[in-house]
Amino acid sequence: MNRLIIVGNGFDLAHGLPTSYDNFVDYYFTSVAQNLGTRYSHEDDLLRASTTIGNFKTFNINSFEKFKEAKEQKLLRAEFNNSFFETMVFQKSENWVGIEELYYNTLTSIVQDQIRARTFLDMSTRREFSRKARELNEKFDQVKTHFHNYLVSEVKERYEFRTLQEFIGPFYSDYHTFNPLTLKLANIYPLERICILNFNYTKLANLYLTKGLQSKGSLCINIHGELESQINPIVFGYGDERDHAFYLLEDLGIDDLLVNIKSIWYHKSYNYWQISEFLKSKPFEIVILGHSCGMSDRTLLSWIFEHKNCVRLRPYYYGGIDGFDKLTINISRNFENKETQRKVFQFDQALVFPSGQLNFQNRTK
């Protein structure tokens, strides 16, 4: 039996890596405040700010909320240069999936009247849609670049990546069936190959591949790319091609509307081919660690969950019963065939996500 392990941002966070949306936003505004404390001004493609206060450093601004309070108290002046970033920070998204959904919703809003009317596009309207899409994509790329640079300078170069004992079981325990009537393990099958499908931009998950399993053909696929890589660039966009608006975006025939669709980026590396070969090779079970299974990855996850070789899906959850319910609902949205969902989706309330090192202590190099 093979095992596919889907790894999301919660996995990195549990290992003490500050890779969340809030981590990035707070870091950015802290850096801006530090510049104001030394140079009295700051400007980049996201924001421009200034202050006339000589002892600005003493206000100790170390988060977006404190930055916003300082602006409200007229301790500084600030204006956004990037309207997408402005909307992003004020909507207070829970995670990066929310940012990808914001991008997609903003993209579809450009052509929403056309989507409703489904009328013929004249040339001037097409040019206007293309211009607005390019403008949005440019702003989105600016945010992506800042996030990439943050991960390189503040995570990759500052933190020591280590495995944690709590996560060894989900990776390497033997495959077994479970009898719900006797509450005991039934058949036990040795684990043959594992494939780690890493949705994170760090290579932390790669550390869980032992040399022994690598020699048996096990592998780690960084499906969303790698930091500072030309051959496997980071993928940050939207990936729900089952959404009704997506079909209409395709039908409009405007390339600028599709440049940040994830399936387009998947073909810029061998990642998609590798995961396809693994899924076809033998029956497999799925283990989910720290991935929310949100809509922005639905195209890829639906293909995997409903693959004919998938025999079981086991997600680890966190956040108590509310987290249990939310993950259940998200996973259900990824199944188009509900009969397949009932067959393979075995949600065990005992699969509590390991707590790891959530306090970030003693992690820096």
Side-chain angles (χ1 to χ4, degrees):
M1 180 66 65
N2 289 343
R3 177 173 295 152
L4 177 69
I5 303 165
I6 295 176
V7 171
N9 191 47
F11 181 81
D12 278 8
L13 293 174
H15 286 71
L17 301 181
T19 56
S20 73
Y21 163 74
D22 285 338
N23 293 145
F24 164 66
V25 170
D26 285 342
Y27 167 80
Y28 174 80
F29 283 97
T30 299
S31 299
V32 172
Q34 290 172 347
N35 287 340
L36 296 183
T38 56
R39 299 197 296 266
Y40 303 104
S41 66
H42 170 92
E43 183 165 8
D44 59 26
D45 48 14
L46 302 184
L47 183 82
R48 60 183 180 274
S50 62
T51 185
T52 58
I53 299 175
N55 62 342
F56 191 79
K57 283 184 178 180
T58 62
F59 293 104
N60 192 29
I61 296 174
N62 57 7
S63 69
F64 168 64
E65 289 301 321
K66 288 190 175 182
F67 187 93
K68 186 171 65 172
E69 290 172 6
K71 183 175 183 296
E72 292 169 351
Q73 295 168 8
K74 301 188 184 306
L75 300 176
L76 60 87
R77 294 181 298 277
E79 292 184 16
F80 286 89
N81 292 329
N82 184 311
S83 57
F84 179 82
F85 183 66
E86 180 179 13
T87 303
M88 181 183 110
V89 297
F90 279 103
Q91 81 161 12
K92 297 181 179 179
S93 176
E94 292 183 9
N95 51 41
W96 286 109
V97 170
I99 304 307
E100 292 176 323
E101 290 177 349
L102 172 64
Y103 167 78
Y104 182 70
N105 292 336
T106 306
L107 184 70
T108 55
S109 71
I110 293 173
V111 296
Q112 61 184 357
D113 292 338
Q114 190 68 37
I115 288 175
R116 294 193 190 100
R118 300 193 183 190
T119 56
F120 174 76
L121 281 181
D122 58 45
M123 187 58 65
S124 64
T125 303
R126 291 175 64 86
R127 284 197 293 264
E128 180 65 8
F129 285 169
S130 184
R131 182 191 67 78
K132 289 182 178 180
R134 285 198 303 272
E135 184 178 288
L136 172 62
N137 291 335
E138 180 181 359
K139 293 174 180 176
F140 188 64
D141 285 343
Q142 289 169 353
V143 173
K144 187 192 302 185
T145 298
H146 279 268
F147 180 49
H148 175 273
N149 294 341
Y150 164 76
L151 290 177
V152 172
S153 66
E154 303 304 314
V155 179
K156 179 182 178 180
E157 295 179 356
R158 290 175 60 88
Y159 281 76
E160 182 178 355
F161 294 179
R162 309 173 189 169
T163 60
L164 296 175
Q165 187 63 36
E166 303 97 299
F167 286 92
I168 299 300
F171 278 88
Y172 294 116
S173 60
D174 286 333
Y175 174 85
H176 62 267
T177 57
F178 183 76
N179 188 327
L181 299 179
T182 62
L183 301 180
K184 294 181 179 180
L185 299 182
N187 300 314
I188 299 177
Y189 304 92
L191 182 64
E192 297 184 46
R193 296 175 63 203
I194 69 170
C195 173
I196 302 173
L197 189 61
N198 182 25
F199 282 79
N200 299 327
Y201 303 116
T202 73
K203 289 188 175 182
L204 172 65
N206 298 56
L207 298 182
Y208 283 85
L209 270 186
T210 66
K211 293 182 179 179
L213 276 174
Q214 282 179 318
S215 66
K216 296 179 182 179
S218 294
L219 70 163
C220 181
I221 301 172
N222 299 304
I223 190 66
H224 276 179
E226 302 170 23
L227 300 174
E228 302 180 294
S229 174
Q230 296 295 322
I231 62 174
N232 191 16
I234 66 170
V235 178
F236 191 41
Y238 200 72
D240 181 13
E241 296 174 14
R242 283 169 43 191
D243 182 72
H244 296 299
F246 176 78
Y247 295 109
L248 297 171
L249 288 178
E250 280 192 316
D251 289 343
L252 291 175
I254 300 173
D255 293 350
D256 293 307
L257 295 172
L258 302 177
V259 297
N260 282 313
I261 299 302
K262 289 183 178 179
S263 60
I264 304 296
W265 283 81
Y266 290 154
H267 293 295
K268 295 184 179 183
S269 70
Y270 288 106
N271 294 332
Y272 203 85
W273 177 84
Q274 284 185 298
I275 183 61
S276 178
E277 291 299 301
F278 180 84
L279 300 184
K280 291 187 297 185
S281 65
K282 185 168 286 191
F284 63 90
E285 72 162 350
I286 298 171
V287 171
I288 298 175
L289 291 171
H291 197 294
S292 67
C293 299
M295 301 289 278
S296 67
D297 288 314
R298 185 162 72 162
T299 300
L300 179 60
L301 294 180
S302 294
W303 171 58
I304 294 171
F305 291 174
E306 297 185 326
H307 196 280
K308 65 179 182 179
N309 279 345
C310 178
V311 298
R312 185 170 67 173
L313 190 158
R314 295 194 303 135
Y316 283 74
Y317 71 97
Y318 54 94
I321 190 63
D322 290 340
F324 178 92
D325 290 342
K326 186 171 184 177
L327 187 53
T328 302
I329 293 170
N330 283 351
I331 289 174
S332 297
R333 290 193 182 106
N334 287 282
F335 280 93
E336 189 169 14
N337 187 328
K338 300 305 180 183
E339 182 177 347
T340 301
Q341 173 189 334
R342 289 186 285 271
K343 182 177 70 172
V344 305
F345 184 15
Q346 300 177 20
F347 211 128
D348 184 350
Q349 293 196 32
L351 296 178
V352 178
F353 189 77
S355 59
Q357 302 289 326
L358 294 175
N359 57 7
F360 303 154
Q361 292 180 357
N362 301 319
R363 302 300 296 166
T364 55
K365 292 181 181 179

